[in-house]
Coordinates of all heavy atoms in Angstrom, one line a residue:
G1 N 128.0 110.7 65.9 CA 128.5 112.1 66.0 C 127.4 113.1 66.4 O 127.7 114.0 67.3
L2 N 126.2 112.9 66.0 CA 125.1 113.8 66.4 C 124.8 113.6 67.9 O 124.5 114.6 68.6 CB 123.9 113.4 65.6 CG 123.9 113.9 64.1 CD1 122.8 113.2 63.3 CD2 123.7 115.4 64.0
A3 N 125.0 112.4 68.4 CA 124.8 112.1 69.8 C 125.8 112.9 70.7 O 125.5 113.4 71.7 CB 124.8 110.6 70.1
T4 N 127.0 113.0 70.2 CA 128.0 113.8 70.9 C 127.7 115.2 71.0 O 128.3 116.0 71.8 CB 129.4 113.6 70.3 OG1 129.5 114.2 69.0 CG2 129.8 112.1 70.2
C5 N 126.9 115.7 70.1 CA 126.5 117.1 70.1 C 125.2 117.4 70.8 O 124.6 118.5 70.7 CB 126.4 117.6 68.6 SG 127.9 117.4 67.7
G6 N 124.7 116.4 71.5 CA 123.5 116.6 72.3 C 122.2 116.2 71.6 O 121.1 116.4 72.2
K7 N 122.2 115.8 70.4 CA 121.0 115.3 69.7 C 120.6 113.9 70.1 O 121.4 113.2 70.7 CB 121.2 115.4 68.2 CG 121.6 116.8 67.6 CD 120.5 117.8 67.9 CE 120.9 119.2 67.4 NZ 119.9 120.2 67.8
I8 N 119.4 113.6 69.8 CA 118.9 112.2 70.1 C 118.6 111.6 68.7 O 117.5 111.7 68.2 CB 117.7 112.2 71.0 CG1 117.9 113.0 72.3 CG2 117.2 110.8 71.3 CD1 116.7 113.2 73.1
P9 N 119.6 110.9 68.1 CA 119.4 110.3 66.8 C 118.7 109.0 66.8 O 119.0 108.1 67.6 CB 120.8 110.2 66.3 CG 121.6 110.1 67.5 CD 121.0 110.8 68.6
Y10 N 117.7 108.9 65.9 CA 117.0 107.6 65.7 C 117.5 107.2 64.3 O 117.2 107.8 63.3 CB 115.5 107.8 65.7 CG 114.9 107.8 67.0 CD1 115.1 108.9 67.9 CD2 114.1 106.8 67.5 CE1 114.5 109.0 69.1 CE2 113.5 106.8 68.8 CZ 113.7 107.9 69.6 OH 113.1 108.0 70.8
A11 N 118.2 106.0 64.2 CA 118.8 105.6 63.0 C 118.0 104.3 62.5 O 117.9 103.4 63.3 CB 120.3 105.2 63.1
S12 N 117.6 104.3 61.3 CA 116.7 103.2 60.8 C 117.1 102.7 59.5 O 117.5 103.4 58.6 CB 115.3 103.7 60.7 OG 114.8 104.1 62.0
T13 N 117.0 101.4 59.4 CA 117.1 100.6 58.1 C 116.6 99.2 58.4 O 116.1 99.0 59.5 CB 118.5 100.6 57.6 OG1 118.5 99.9 56.3 CG2 119.5 99.9 58.5
F14 N 116.6 98.3 57.4 CA 116.2 96.9 57.7 C 117.2 96.3 58.7 O 118.4 96.6 58.7 CB 116.2 96.1 56.4 CG 115.1 96.5 55.4 CD1 114.2 97.5 55.7 CD2 115.0 95.8 54.2 CE1 113.2 97.9 54.8 CE2 114.0 96.1 53.3 CZ 113.1 97.2 53.6
A15 N 116.7 95.4 59.5 CA 117.5 94.8 60.6 C 118.7 94.1 60.0 O 119.8 94.1 60.6 CB 116.6 93.8 61.3
V16 N 118.6 93.5 58.8 CA 119.8 92.8 58.3 C 120.9 93.7 58.0 O 122.1 93.4 58.0 CB 119.3 92.0 57.0 CG1 119.0 92.9 55.8 CG2 120.4 90.9 56.7
F17 N 120.6 95.0 57.6 CA 121.6 96.0 57.3 C 122.0 96.7 58.6 O 123.2 97.1 58.7 CB 121.0 97.0 56.3 CG 120.5 96.4 55.0 CD1 119.3 96.8 54.5 CD2 121.3 95.4 54.4 CE1 118.8 96.2 53.3 CE2 120.8 94.9 53.2 CZ 119.6 95.2 52.7
A18 N 121.1 97.0 59.5 CA 121.5 97.7 60.7 C 122.4 96.8 61.6 O 123.6 97.2 61.9 CB 120.2 98.0 61.5
A19 N 122.0 95.6 62.0 CA 122.8 94.8 62.9 C 123.9 94.1 62.1 O 124.9 93.7 62.7 CB 121.9 93.7 63.5
G20 N 123.7 93.8 60.8 CA 124.7 93.1 60.0 C 125.8 94.0 59.5 O 126.9 94.0 60.0
R21 N 125.5 94.9 58.5 CA 126.5 95.7 57.9 C 127.0 96.8 58.9 O 128.1 97.2 58.8 CB 125.9 96.5 56.7 CG 125.7 95.6 55.5 CD 125.3 96.5 54.3 NE 125.1 95.7 53.1 CZ 124.6 96.1 52.0 NH1 124.2 97.4 51.9 NH2 124.4 95.3 51.0
G22 N 126.1 97.2 59.8 CA 126.5 98.2 60.7 C 127.1 97.8 62.1 O 127.4 98.6 62.9
Y23 N 127.4 96.5 62.2 CA 127.8 96.0 63.5 C 129.1 96.6 64.0 O 129.2 97.0 65.2 CB 128.1 94.4 63.4 CG 128.5 93.9 64.7 CD1 127.5 93.6 65.7 CD2 129.8 93.6 65.0 CE1 127.9 93.1 67.0 CE2 130.2 93.1 66.3 CZ 129.3 92.8 67.2 OH 129.6 92.3 68.5
D24 N 130.1 96.8 63.2 CA 131.3 97.4 63.6 C 131.1 98.8 64.2 O 131.7 99.2 65.2 CB 132.4 97.4 62.5 CG 133.7 97.9 62.9 OD1 134.3 97.4 63.9 OD2 134.3 98.8 62.3
Q25 N 130.3 99.6 63.5 CA 130.1 101.0 63.9 C 129.2 101.0 65.2 O 129.4 101.8 66.1 CB 129.3 101.8 62.8 CG 130.2 102.2 61.7 CD 130.8 101.0 60.9 OE1 130.0 100.0 60.7 NE2 132.0 101.1 60.4
I26 N 128.3 100.0 65.3 CA 127.5 100.0 66.5 C 128.4 99.6 67.7 O 128.3 100.2 68.8 CB 126.3 98.9 66.4 CG1 125.3 99.4 65.3 CG2 125.6 98.7 67.7 CD1 124.3 98.3 65.0
R27 N 129.3 98.7 67.5 CA 130.1 98.2 68.6 C 131.1 99.3 69.0 O 131.2 99.6 70.2 CB 130.9 97.0 68.1 CG 131.8 96.4 69.2 CD 132.6 95.2 68.7 NE 133.3 94.5 69.8 CZ 134.5 94.9 70.2 NH1 135.1 95.9 69.7 NH2 135.1 94.2 71.2
N28 N 131.9 99.8 68.0 CA 133.0 100.7 68.4 C 132.7 102.2 68.4 O 133.3 102.9 69.2 CB 134.1 100.5 67.4 CG 134.7 99.1 67.5 OD1 134.9 98.6 68.6 ND2 135.0 98.4 66.4
S29 N 131.7 102.6 67.6 CA 131.4 104.1 67.6 C 130.2 104.4 68.5 O 130.0 105.6 68.8 CB 131.1 104.5 66.2 OG 132.2 104.3 65.4

């Protein structure tokens, strides 16, 4: 959402949570 407003977001967490839990949002959003 922030990216659609012209911001440059850096989103961080452990890789297992970023790529694992967040996969659907990374793919579709």
Side-chain angles (χ1 to χ4, degrees):
L2 287 165
T4 67
C5 300
K7 300 300 181 184
I8 306 174
Y10 281 70
S12 297
T13 183
F14 290 0
V16 71
F17 304 133
R21 284 188 184 172
Y23 181 80
D24 184 53
Q25 284 67 35
I26 294 172
R27 183 183 188 273
N28 293 318
S29 297

